[in-house]
Amino acid sequence: MEGVTGVSAWIYVVVLTSIAVVYTSLGGIKAVVVTDVVQGVIMIGMIFAILICGCIRVGGVSEVIEINRQTGRLQIFDFDPNPYKRHTFWICAGISLSPPIVQRLNSTRSIGDAKKVAAMSIPCFVILQILVMCEGLVAYAYFLQKGCDPIASQQISNPNQIIPYLVTDLFAGVPGITGLFLAALCSASLSTISSLLSSISAVTSEDFIRPRFKKASEQSLTQFSKSDSMMRDGNDPTKHDRTQ
């Protein structure tokens, strides 16, 4: 977001995390799921806008594929077990076992409902990952065709700013698109933070607090989870990276 607006990243860290803490603490998992749906629609809409306009500017889908094929960037299945490598098959597969995903499955009414949710979610997750990877392919083809390396030319300082920079360049003459992209970035940040806060609070309450305070009521545990979300927000040194 800093790459789009020029506003310091720390201002977004404070504002977005505060908003996420409030609605996560008050609404619980239901608030997280409902807001995730709305935020997801905004994000997917922006992804399609980038893919469609980017492909048109490059010269079509076939041209995007050809440019990436010639430079060896169509390595779809990377089974390298190196845990320090950012994008591999194992990293993507591991996301499906993350605590927020497990919490959503546990919040369904029955095992049968959980299986239905998983059956519907897995194809959607795969499709979303493919769209995001295609977004990267379009960005690479676009800048290569322009003969521009935004990082080498110091137009941006962080690889995370490549897509925001693409949007500002791609839609420079289209009013409203930059605002839509900013909304998509805010949605992604809120979605990530609220999911992690809700998940880690639930795990702490169920696996550490309940076994030691067996007589504690559900209301007491709920209040603890809400306060835990707020305390973790104040003590979490990684929230800056997550918001980026």
Side-chain angles (χ1 to χ4, degrees):
M1 291 184 286
E2 187 177 29
V4 176
T5 64
V7 178
S8 172
W10 284 105
I11 294 178
Y12 289 111
V13 169
V14 174
V15 173
L16 292 177
T17 309
S18 299
I19 294 172
V21 167
V22 170
Y23 76 74
T24 303
S25 300
L26 296 178
I29 186 64
K30 182 180 290 186
V32 173
V33 172
V34 172
T35 52
D36 272 4
V37 171
V38 177
Q39 293 157 0
V41 170
I42 297 174
M43 288 186 287
I44 292 172
M46 195 63 230
I47 288 173
F48 275 109
I50 293 173
L51 290 177
I52 293 172
C53 190
C55 285
I56 292 174
R57 293 284 291 274
V58 172
V61 176
S62 59
E63 186 66 19
V64 171
I65 295 174
E66 182 61 23
I67 290 174
N68 283 273
R69 186 191 66 78
Q70 291 177 357
T71 53
R73 292 184 174 265
L74 292 181
Q75 188 178 358
I76 300 175
F77 298 106
D78 186 352
F79 293 97
D80 187 347
N82 183 1
Y84 293 101
K85 198 169 183 179
R86 184 171 182 177
H87 297 295
T88 65
F89 172 83
W90 308 112
I91 297 298
C92 293
I95 295 175
S96 61
L97 302 175
S98 63
I101 301 298
V102 174
Q103 185 188 18
R104 282 164 171 74
L105 294 177
N106 284 334
S107 67
T108 56
R109 293 186 177 88
S110 65
I111 294 294
D113 287 344
K115 290 180 178 178
K116 292 177 183 177
V117 170
M120 290 186 292
S121 299
I122 291 173
C124 294
F125 174 77
V126 172
I127 292 172
L128 181 60
Q129 291 300 307
I130 291 173
L131 290 175
V132 172
M133 286 188 283
C134 289
E135 196 175 26
L137 297 178
V138 168
Y140 177 76
Y142 178 79
F143 286 119
L144 185 66
Q145 198 174 68
K146 286 189 66 175
C148 169
D149 185 335
I151 297 178
S153 61
Q154 297 184 342
Q155 296 180 68
I156 59 175
S157 59
N158 190 316
N160 290 321
Q161 296 175 338
I162 288 178
I163 296 298
Y165 183 75
L166 171 66
V167 171
T168 57
D169 192 66
L170 200 59
F171 300 102
V174 183
I177 294 296
T178 303
L180 177 61
F181 184 71
L182 185 61
L185 288 176
C186 289
S187 297
S189 301
L190 289 170
S191 174
T192 302
I193 296 171
S194 63
S195 295
L196 293 174
L197 283 174
S198 177
S199 173
I200 199 170
S201 296
V203 168
T204 303
S205 176
E206 290 297 319
D207 295 343
F208 293 95
I209 303 302
R210 187 187 290 275
R212 289 165 176 75
F213 299 93
K214 297 181 180 180
K215 294 183 179 180
S217 64
E218 289 295 330
Q219 184 177 3
S220 299
L221 290 172
T222 300
Q223 291 301 322
F224 170 80
S225 294
K226 291 180 178 180
S227 61
D228 187 45
S229 293
M230 294 183 180
M231 288 188 294
R232 288 183 183 281
D233 166 55
N235 297 326
D236 187 357
T238 65
K239 64 183 180 180
H240 179 221
D241 292 333
R242 287 207 309 276
T243 306
Q244 282 186 327

